[in-house]
Amino acid sequence: SSVVSNCILVLNEIMEEEGGMALNRAVMLHLLNRIHEFSEFGILSVLDLIPRYIPANDEEGFQIMNLLDPVLRTANSSAVCATIRAFLSIAESIGKRPGDDRDPDSPTVDDLKKQVCIRIRAPLVTLMSSGSSELTYVLLKYVDQLIDLCPGIFDEEYRMFYVRFSDASHIKHSKVRLLAKLANPQTAPDIVAEMGELVADGDE
């Protein structure tokens, strides 16, 4: 697997002017079916290829997502973030757009992005709650962008964004910002009560 990783890097460098190494279905599926054999660095090399590859149809796009699902459950935060980018890229590639003459039942780009957000929500929240302060901050930024992309998708997880006494100041600021976006008629009372305690505690 280390040899393959190095080959990917070399080919991308040699073919930089052409946009990187040539990709096709056979190459992508070969790499993805063996992604568990790669080192953390090798996994990132493979994942970086996906946004450049356009699946031939919906079925192939979903197949790639299914092959990447195990990566979402790893503790490798870089790989998880790269998988999120890959999923969103696939959604853009295979989703139906206005004026598309495909099957009326084919999912739209927005539908697929919402499915992606649902798929990655739990792994992202788990990773965020178990990482370092620096990692948590980066992941909170990811969540912020995903909330803008799919409003309401993280609403049920609002308690995971409550401020902790041990949080660094920039983490607290990011969480408060997110809580404002997560508030809805059902969650607002709890969030307001939590924020009230935060304001009342001068140490926070």
Side-chain angles (χ1 to χ4, degrees):
S1 60
S2 61
V3 174
V4 176
S5 302
N6 290 332
C7 287
I8 292 173
L9 294 175
V10 171
L11 286 171
N12 278 331
E13 187 169 344
I14 292 174
M15 305 179 69
E16 183 177 3
E17 293 184 1
E18 290 79 20
M21 67 176 282
L23 298 172
N24 56 39
R25 175 186 171 89
V27 170
M28 286 307 308
L29 293 184
H30 176 83
L31 292 172
L32 294 175
N33 275 306
R34 292 161 178 78
I35 198 166
H36 63 280
E37 300 174 4
F38 288 83
S39 65
E40 290 189 2
F41 178 76
I43 289 173
L44 293 176
S45 299
V46 174
L47 292 173
D48 285 343
L49 298 175
I50 296 175
R52 292 202 290 107
Y53 177 70
I54 299 177
N57 49 47
D58 296 1
E59 183 180 353
E60 185 181 350
F62 291 130
Q63 182 181 11
I64 291 173
M65 288 186 187
N66 290 337
L67 290 171
L68 289 176
D69 254 349
V71 182
L72 284 176
R73 295 191 291 271
T74 67
N76 183 347
S77 57
S78 297
V80 172
C81 291
T83 301
I84 292 172
R85 292 195 298 272
F87 277 15
L88 292 174
S89 172
I90 292 171
E92 285 280 357
S93 298
I94 68 175
K96 188 173 66 175
R97 299 178 183 279
D100 224 323
D101 58 358
R102 281 186 286 173
D103 186 327
D105 294 330
S106 295
T108 65
V109 172
D110 289 341
D111 290 338
L112 286 175
K113 285 183 177 179
K114 185 173 182 179
Q115 292 178 28
V116 166
C117 288
I118 292 172
R119 199 168 189 165
I120 65 180
R121 179 177 55 198
L124 192 57
V125 170
T126 299
L127 193 61
M128 184 190 70
S129 62
S130 60
S132 64
S133 176
E134 293 79 10
L135 174 60
T136 298
Y137 181 74
V138 171
L139 295 177
L140 285 171
K141 291 298 182 183
Y142 262 87
V143 171
D144 195 1
Q145 292 181 353
L146 291 171
I147 290 173
D148 290 341
L149 186 67
C150 301
I153 207 68
F154 282 90
D155 284 7
E156 294 179 0
E157 307 288 343
Y158 70 96
R159 289 188 178 88
M160 298 298 297
F161 300 95
Y162 280 172
V163 172
R164 299 175 181 174
F165 178 78
S166 58
D167 285 338
S169 58
H170 58 290
I171 300 294
K172 293 177 181 178
H173 181 273
S174 296
K175 285 184 173 181
V176 171
R177 173 185 168 86
L178 288 177
L179 285 170
K181 293 186 176 185
L182 296 175
N184 61 39
Q186 288 72 44
T187 63
D190 281 349
I191 292 175
V192 169
E194 181 70 18
M195 291 297 96
E197 292 183 14
L198 185 65
V199 171
D201 189 343
D203 293 335
E204 294 284 330

